Amino acid sequence: MPEQALGQLFAIATALLWACSAVCFEAAGRRVGSLVVNLLRLSIAAVLLGGLCYLRRGLVWPGDASGHTWAWLLVSGGLGFFVCDLCLFRAYVLIGARRSTLVLALAPVFAAVLDAFVLRRSPTLLQGVGMAVTLIGVVWVIAERPNDEAVHTARERRIGIVLALVAAVMQPLGAASAAVGMTLPGGGQFDPMAATFIRVLAGVAGFVVLVPLSGRTRDVIAGVRDARAMTLLGLGALAGPVLGVTLFLASLQRLPSGVTQTILATIPVLLLPVAMFQKHERVTWRAAAGAMVAVGGVVILCLT
């Protein structure tokens, strides 16, 4: 299979896995809180990744990574797993998930700018058309979701939008840092699963420092004792930070970041069946039309 087609397949698989992990983390978050979810999901992911790396590579600790690789992947993990997620989860509280996700849909645009001016990997004209069509469909879906969120103050809206914008910038910055870190001298590529392990370690370190500072240590202990929450976190960690992020990095090795990020932006579309059948939300025909447009955009991307 051509490398580009493989990258597209990895990106689509990542979107599916992240949609599954979002359902698990949302359910766990209602039981133990978002900050606890962030620390525990990454801790579980680190354990799973260490075991999988040993089975695949014979190494639990990625000692074969150079200082250059470690530095860039730690920066990537700090930006993506810590700063981005911290800002995004707080934005959910301040302005709601719908508005936050709408702002986050700008992430592929920032990724395309980074591709063009930093990594020198500009998308083709047809890829640009596919990205535009996909994002129009995604924004359409998000905008048409039922507006059942709580009323927020003007100050909360301002802060929430700023935090969501920070998350939208941090996501492609983390991806670009990972792409640089995985590129080896001579044009080789570092193993994406081992790279994910390093990135997760950076995220764990950030939340290990933040949790005691925020006085949430007891909540973490209570979360560990919640068997239902830990089951959800285990499933979500496997689908998201472990398999999903590994395939995400594998996709970045084969595609411009903007293309990969655009495919991942379809996650709200993938969650529509969950809204319909699990949460019994009414999905309008306009949202369904937006989903079809987004899928059409992904088809264009996959035909390039």
Side-chain angles (χ1 to χ4, degrees), residues 2-3 5 66-67 82 98 114 136 155 178 210 213 221 237 257 288 290 293:
E3 288 293 295
S66 66
F82 181 63
R98 184 175 63 87
L114 283 172
I136 290 171
R155 182 174 181 272
L210 181 62
L213 291 177
I221 296 173
S257 176
V293 171

Side-chain angles (χ1 to χ4, degrees), residues 276-292:
M276 292 174 60
F277 299 112
Q278 181 181 358
K279 299 181 179 180
H280 306 291
E281 293 180 5
R282 179 175 170 269
V283 177
T284 67
W285 69 267
R286 293 173 66 180
M292 293 178 64

Side-chain angles (χ1 to χ4, degrees), residues 182-238:
M182 289 188 297
T183 301
L184 303 177
Q189 292 287 331
F190 187 65
D191 182 75
M193 183 168 285
T196 303
F197 184 48
I198 296 174
R199 295 182 76 233
V200 165
L201 291 177
V204 170
F207 284 108
V208 164
V209 173
L210 181 62
V211 166
L213 291 177
S214 61
R216 301 294 298 276
T217 303
R218 290 185 178 180
D219 293 337
V220 173
I221 296 173
V224 172
R225 292 174 177 173
D226 188 325
R228 173 66 174 170
M230 290 301 291
T231 300
L232 290 167
L233 287 169
L235 292 173
L238 180 62

Side-chain angles (χ1 to χ4, degrees), residues 91-213:
Y92 285 160
V93 175
L94 293 175
I95 60 174
R98 184 175 63 87
R99 292 189 183 95
S100 300
T101 310
L102 188 60
V103 176
L104 193 66
L106 293 171
V109 178
F110 295 131
V113 172
L114 283 172
D115 282 340
F117 294 101
V118 179
L119 299 180
R120 306 296 182 183
R121 297 174 63 191
S122 300
T124 65
L125 177 60
L126 191 56
Q127 285 176 334
V129 171
M131 290 169 63
V133 171
T134 302
L135 291 177
I136 290 171
V138 170
V139 170
W140 195 351
V141 169
I142 297 169
E144 288 298 321
R145 291 184 64 181
N147 190 10
D148 56 357
E149 298 168 353
V151 177
H152 304 282
T153 66
R155 182 174 181 272
E156 287 176 334
R157 286 196 297 271
R158 286 195 299 270
I159 296 175
I161 289 172
V162 170
L163 289 174
L165 278 171
V166 171
V169 174
M170 290 299 107
Q171 191 175 91
L173 279 176
S177 301
V180 173
M182 289 188 297
T183 301
L184 303 177
Q189 292 287 331
F190 187 65
D191 182 75
M193 183 168 285
T196 303
F197 184 48
I198 296 174
R199 295 182 76 233
V200 165
L201 291 177
V204 170
F207 284 108
V208 164
V209 173
L210 181 62
V211 166
L213 291 177

Side-chain angles (χ1 to χ4, degrees), residues 291-304:
M292 293 178 64
V293 171
V295 171
V298 173
V299 170
I300 294 174
L301 285 173
C302 291
L303 291 176
T304 58

